[in-house]
Amino acid sequence: MAKNLQIRSGGDDVTLDVTDGTIRAADLKQIATDQGPLATYDPGLLNTASCRSAITYIDGDAGILEYRGYPIEQLAENSTYLEVAYLLLNGELPDAAQLAKWESDVNHHRLVHENAKDIISKSRYDSHPMAKLMSAVASLHAFYPGSRDIADPAEREVNMIRLLAKMPTLAAFAYRHSLGRNYVYPSDELGFIENFLSMLFKRQERHYQADERLVRAVDVLFILHADHEQNCSTNAVRAVASAGNDPYTSAVAGIAALFGPLHGGANEAVLKMLNEIGSVDNVPEFIAGVKDGKARLMGFGHRVYKNYDPRARIIKKSAEEVFQVTGVNPRLAIAQELERIALDDEYFVSRKLYPNVDFYSGLIYEALNFPPEMFTVMFAVPRTAGWVSQWQEGVLDPEQKITRPKQIYIGERGRSYSPITER
Ligand code: ACO
């Protein structure tokens, strides 16, 4: 194991410390180049650690995902989303009294200010629910100005709880606004997930009670989506937080990043692909097209996982449970055949392409009657647990500084301004 790195530069030897498998990029500055002190060039931050974190561990080659050291499989089997949110935020699983207080605290804050609701109501009827969610979350710091005091532990705590609690309410309002339906307010009688489903789907019935198998399936989906270390949206949250921002303003950056089709939108692309394939008989032809470079097998491959995404395995089981309630999504057979062929095909095996979390999640959301635009919202709501945990970790980390990368300037220099008549 390297303890340090020797670099020969212009006849001089420079020794850089290697700690935790990394060098400090700032240490490279002692090496001179023609363009000034040496720096690294890393678009997309492919090989750059931006923080030290104790929240989520991923070993992509082995297909391991752990929150605070607990394997995702054990949490999905035994825990709930709210308990996992507590774990991510506090580092330890709660005891019974701590969990009861936590659930009561979060559930207490589910209502939103009527003006925040109005922001959704004033959106265009066909604006994307992620855009409505962004606007509403951006407004929240105005109702809680104390949230700007991020040095105050009590303000930090209450505002992280508020954000966790209000995201499902705002998400459900955004959904119902698109349908022209009345808003359903949070109910004290319902737990976190049951209440979310009630705010989404309640019609005229006096009490809405979701099938408990669906409640459990959504709870598991939420656990699986709660955090994924320094992904694009979490990095955006941390960058905005590094300027001293409150959790609401920082979370808006996360929602915006997740909105992108390369990040939160892949499950929608899987459904589109399954629709285009149309039937199991067309799967071999589609796979041949993928191998010829005509299309990508959406829901396969991952930047970090070079093995079966552990979340995909769990989601596959959840999908089967959901279909027991909703009836089987006809596209399931196409997805299973794609997976069967791909996992046995040299093209996919040699490139280590396995199903990722998005391969089956879209099928579940569709079976629950969500339109495709809501799929990313169903990702943003649970990821809030990760965002607030990472936000807090960044705020408390004395090594963190305002995010401000370098650039390699490739433009013109030293030009003289010419009047418009002479151009
Ligand atoms: N179908 C077919 N071939 C693929 C796929 C795929 N889904 N993914 C990668 N490959 C091939 C590439 O063509 C490349 O082949 P080559 O070496 O012959 O050129 C090789 O595998 C490596 O691919 P890269 O694009 O370099 O891998 P990268 O790590 O950059 O991309 C990504 C990862 C973007 C997820 C990619 O696998 C992909 O596009 N998958 C489909 C989209 C998807 O499912 N995204 C969701 C990711 S999970 C999430 O964000 C929550």
Side-chain angles (χ1 to χ4, degrees):
M1 284 290 164
K3 293 269 189 311
N4 54 43
L5 177 70
Q6 308 271 347
I7 299 181
R8 175 148 298 174
S9 164
D12 296 330
D13 277 342
V14 178
T15 304
L16 305 181
D17 283 341
V18 175
T19 311
D20 298 324
T22 62
I23 55 164
R24 296 258 162 180
D27 287 352
L28 293 172
K29 285 186 180 174
Q30 55 191 298
I31 300 168
T33 76
D34 293 343
Q35 281 84 30
L38 184 67
T40 57
Y41 176 57
D42 191 5
L45 304 179
L46 294 194
N47 194 30
T48 298
S50 61
C51 61
R52 297 164 66 84
S53 181
I55 299 173
T56 290
Y57 173 80
I58 300 176
D59 181 337
D61 291 329
I64 292 172
L65 169 62
E66 294 173 357
Y67 295 159
R68 298 285 189 182
Y70 293 98
I72 192 69
E73 292 81 2
Q74 287 185 27
L75 295 170
E77 184 71 31
N78 303 301
S79 188
T80 63
Y81 170 68
L82 270 197
E83 186 183 52
V84 163
Y86 181 100
L87 171 70
L88 289 169
L89 201 53
N90 299 292
E92 297 296 336
L93 285 167
D95 63 23
Q98 286 167 326
L99 182 61
K101 179 172 183 319
W102 171 249
E103 287 176 344
S104 152
D105 285 351
V106 174
N107 290 339
H108 172 76
H109 284 287
R110 289 180 290 192
L111 272 173
V112 296
H113 195 289
E114 288 291 292
N115 290 160
K117 187 192 77 179
D118 291 346
I119 287 174
I120 291 174
S121 300
K122 295 288 184 297
S123 309
R124 255 188 74 99
Y125 73 98
D126 60 350
S127 59
H128 198 288
M130 285 294 272
K132 294 180 210 172
L133 195 60
M134 256 185 277
S135 317
V137 173
S139 77
L140 290 180
H141 83 267
F143 307 114
Y144 309 108
S147 64
R148 299 291 287 169
D149 187 1
I150 62 171
D152 179 342
E155 285 292 351
R156 279 202 304 269
E157 188 182 356
V158 70
N159 287 297
M160 288 190 295
I161 290 175
R162 283 185 180 129
L163 181 56
L164 269 173
K166 293 178 198 311
M167 278 290 276
T169 312
L170 294 172
F173 286 4
Y175 171 60
R176 292 184 78 102
H177 177 255
S178 330
L179 300 174
R181 289 195 187 143
N182 63 316
Y183 302 126
V184 175
Y185 283 66
S187 162
D188 254 1
E189 287 159 22
L190 299 175
F192 190 81
I193 302 289
E194 288 166 304
N195 176 63
F196 182 40
L197 294 175
S198 159
M199 291 190 297
L200 288 164
F201 298 128
K202 186 171 184 298
R203 303 292 285 268
Q204 295 188 58
E205 61 275 52
R206 186 179 289 259
H207 298 291
Y208 175 89
Q209 187 58 58
D211 187 296
E212 60 186 42
R213 289 168 293 180
L214 295 185
V215 174
R216 183 61 199 151
V218 173
D219 217 354
V220 169
L221 278 170
F222 273 26
I223 292 170
L224 301 181
H225 286 92
D227 194 50
H228 212 230
E229 51 116 307
Q230 306 313 312
N231 56 86
C232 179
S233 60
T234 302
N235 182 58
V237 169
R238 279 186 176 257
V240 171
S242 76
N245 274 303
D246 61 87
Y248 309 115
T249 308
S250 305
V252 176
I255 303 170
L258 202 61
F259 193 12
L262 295 184
H263 190 9
N267 48 17
E268 206 178 318
V270 172
L271 269 196
K272 197 162 158 257
M273 172 188 77
L274 295 177
N275 283 336
E276 279 165 16
I277 296 172
S279 86
V280 169
D281 296 343
N282 298 332
V283 167
E285 191 189 332
F286 180 79
I287 293 276
V290 169
K291 289 159 64 174
D292 280 351
K294 289 186 194 140
R296 282 218 156 184
L297 178 48
M298 299 310 287
F300 259 65
H302 196 277
R303 172 57 58 75
V304 177
Y305 294 116
K306 301 302 171 197
N307 199 323
Y308 213 103
D309 179 339
R311 301 169 300 172
R313 215 184 293 277
I314 300 166
I315 282 196
K316 194 174 170 185
K317 198 164 144 250
S318 285
E320 283 156 15
E321 284 159 13
V322 167
F323 297 152
Q324 282 173 17
V325 183
T326 61
V328 174
N329 187 323
R331 282 169 280 279
L332 176 67
I334 304 173
Q336 287 172 329
E337 182 65 0
L338 281 170
E339 181 181 341
R340 190 187 67 75
I341 296 185
L343 291 183
D344 206 29
D345 188 297
E346 198 276 333
Y347 175 94
F348 297 92
V349 173
S350 64
R351 289 171 179 75
K352 300 187 176 169
L353 300 172
Y354 294 89
N356 61 49
V357 69
D358 288 317
F359 194 61
Y360 287 102
S361 64
L363 288 174
I364 298 182
Y365 293 138
E366 194 186 46
L368 294 174
N369 271 334
F370 283 116
E373 314 82 74
M374 273 301 285
F375 294 1
T376 322
V377 174
M378 293 297 287
F379 193 156
V381 172
R383 183 53 60 88
T384 309
W387 290 336
V388 293
S389 307
Q390 302 268 355
W391 173 84
Q392 174 172 255
E393 191 175 62
V395 167
L396 295 179
D397 181 350
E399 282 197 322
Q400 284 299 318
K401 293 190 179 306
I402 185 168
T403 301
R404 206 300 185 190
K406 290 176 80 73
Q407 65 167 7
I408 300 169
Y409 180 69
I410 56 166
E412 304 278 354
R413 293 283 326 278
R415 300 164 101 184
S416 293
Y417 181 85
S418 56
I420 196 161
T421 49
E422 292 172 20
R423 285 176 218 159

